[in-house]
Amino acid sequence: MQLWDYAKLSDDELLQRIESAKRKLGAVILVHNYQRGKIQKIADFLGDSLELARKAKEIDAPVILFCGVMFMAEMAKIINPDKVVLIPDAQAGCPLAAHASAGEIVKMRQKYPEYAVITYVNSSAEVKAVSDIVCTSANAVKVVESFPKNKGIIFVPDKNLCHYAKAQTNRENIVCWDGNCYVHDRFTSDDVKNACKKHPDATVIVHPECPPEVQNRADVIASTGGMYRYAQSHRGETIVLGTEIGMAERINSEFPDTPTFPMSKSAICSNMKLITLAKVARALEQDMYEVNVPQSVAEKAKIAIERMLEL
Ligand code: 13P
Ligand code: SF4
């Protein structure tokens, strides 16, 4: 069956196929918070990058189907290499990850030989392989603080998360890479001002991938997992989220008593949204697309990822 044949099926038919293929394969479905609502609903586990990495490590089933972007699926393969890892669309990359290459990091290391390289998970396996340690938006501060205060750091590839880590740790000797996420970097302080005007009682939570002026105006800065936990523990509060719209979709669906608004309805990660029910059904029935990382890269990247998971 081709993708267009799956696309003609109703959601109910696709869900039945997904359930039965999943049982046959013994697959576990991991889903990131930015996925479409319909994909969030088929998750065995739904979370942020750090939560998904931890989950991927402990999975005992033979197959992991990853509904997210490629670096997340690669990370699952690296930390649990005996499993078959599938991603429903091989084109679902993260453009932020493309902001840094392994060759550029090696050159930067030559320029700053005494510095440690901290790499955000939104990066390729090759870049992780030439890094000292990986971090996510949930633990960037903790990872920076795991180095002595006088140690210089090169922080790759998101400049806004780097700014956040610098500000939170009060450190100056951090060199920020010049990358950004096209979804979060577009938020402006006017977006925060307008959201506050529209929802005067709301708590404004923004992702640390947002620009510094947006972070400065927010009430809380958090990873998507942090946003979820905030809503879970502040039921009934109104919340505005400066992040991809999928996060508000999840909170509104699970906590309907906690009105949650995206700061911008156009904050859509089209890469995350490439995953559809039709592609998930095809992936499980036709074992596609299998994610593999060359062993020499995977072994080195694993060291940097494990260092983070051990913190
Ligand atoms: P989280 O780790 O906060 O889920 O963020 C992932 C991401 O891609 C943010 O754009
Ligand atoms: Fe990458 Fe930005 Fe999409 Fe997150 S929202 S996956 S950083 S492009």
Side-chain angles (χ1 to χ4, degrees):
M1 254 170 93
Q2 299 294 326
L3 181 57
W4 55 81
D5 299 312
Y6 285 97
K8 285 181 205 147
L9 301 176
S10 69
D11 284 358
D12 281 349
E13 284 171 304
L14 289 170
L15 290 171
Q16 272 171 23
R17 280 175 172 267
I18 288 169
E19 196 44 47
S20 122
K22 194 181 134 180
R23 235 180 296 122
K24 242 187 254 163
L25 274 185
V28 171
I29 303 183
L30 298 186
V31 177
H32 186 265
N33 287 321
Y34 294 161
Q35 290 288 295
R36 297 164 186 273
K38 286 177 186 175
I39 304 293
Q40 293 184 9
K41 293 217 160 58
I42 59 164
D44 291 307
F45 186 81
L46 176 57
D48 72 8
S49 311
L50 182 62
E51 294 162 340
L52 290 168
R54 290 199 189 287
K55 202 73 197 169
K57 187 175 154 84
E58 73 189 32
I59 282 174
D60 205 20
V63 176
I64 298 172
L65 179 85
F66 214 113
C67 297
V69 286
M70 189 54 96
F71 77 82
M72 297 177 176
E74 273 182 356
M75 188 151 76
K77 182 69 186 177
I78 292 168
I79 53 187
N80 207 339
D82 297 338
K83 309 301 170 195
V84 171
V85 176
L86 302 174
I87 186 163
D89 188 325
Q91 301 304 316
C94 165
L96 168 58
H99 278 262
S101 71
E104 288 170 316
I105 310 289
V106 171
K107 270 198 199 140
M108 196 71 157
R109 272 192 181 285
Q110 285 161 355
K111 192 170 168 196
Y112 297 96
E114 302 299 323
Y115 282 41
V117 175
I118 301 182
T119 293
Y120 188 31
V121 273
N122 297 45
S123 54
S124 66
E126 286 77 10
V127 167
K128 290 183 179 83
V130 292
S131 304
D132 294 298
I133 187 166
V134 166
C135 75
T136 76
S137 59
N139 62 14
V141 171
K142 197 172 177 182
V143 170
V144 168
E145 281 174 342
S146 71
F147 290 92
K149 194 132 194 166
N150 58 356
K151 179 81 178 168
I153 287 166
I154 301 166
F155 193 100
V156 184
D158 189 85
K159 63 176 180 191
N160 296 327
L161 180 65
C162 180
H163 162 87
Y164 170 72
K166 247 174 135 167
Q168 294 291 314
T169 57
N170 219 356
R171 292 186 188 210
E172 274 310 315
N173 52 350
I174 302 182
V175 178
C176 295
W177 202 260
D178 192 21
N180 65 65
C181 155
Y182 74 98
V183 180
H184 290 87
D185 199 51
R186 266 195 218 145
F187 284 113
T188 63
S189 47
D190 277 350
D191 290 328
V192 187
K193 248 196 272 170
N194 294 338
C196 292
K197 236 189 249 165
K198 209 163 162 193
H199 307 285
D201 298 329
T203 301
V204 177
I205 314 179
V206 305
H207 197 276
E209 284 176 15
C210 292
E213 63 272 22
V214 173
Q215 297 182 22
N216 292 344
R217 282 186 174 264
D219 298 307
V220 180
I221 304 169
S223 71
T224 63
M227 292 174 182
Y228 178 81
R229 284 188 296 280
Y230 183 94
Q232 195 174 34
S233 56
H234 293 78
R235 302 293 290 270
E237 224 174 76
T238 302
I239 298 172
V240 170
L241 295 181
T243 194
E244 211 274 348
I245 58 165
M247 193 63 241
E249 199 169 346
R250 177 180 182 191
I251 294 174
N252 283 320
S253 149
E254 290 187 37
F255 311 131
D257 61 349
T258 306
T260 302
F261 302 92
M263 200 151 78
S264 161
K265 283 187 187 149
S266 57
I268 298 171
C269 177
S270 46
N271 308 71
M272 284 277 182
K273 271 25 182 186
L274 282 174
I275 312 291
T276 60
L277 280 182
K279 288 180 190 169
V280 171
R282 179 185 62 168
L284 289 169
E285 290 188 345
Q286 300 185 28
D287 292 341
M288 62 201 289
Y289 294 89
E290 188 168 349
V291 177
N292 279 306
V293 179
Q295 201 182 341
S296 58
V297 174
E299 277 169 5
K300 289 186 193 139
K302 191 173 181 188
I303 297 170
I305 297 169
E306 293 284 2
R307 277 193 192 129
M308 166 186 80
L309 294 176
E310 278 159 19
L311 275 185

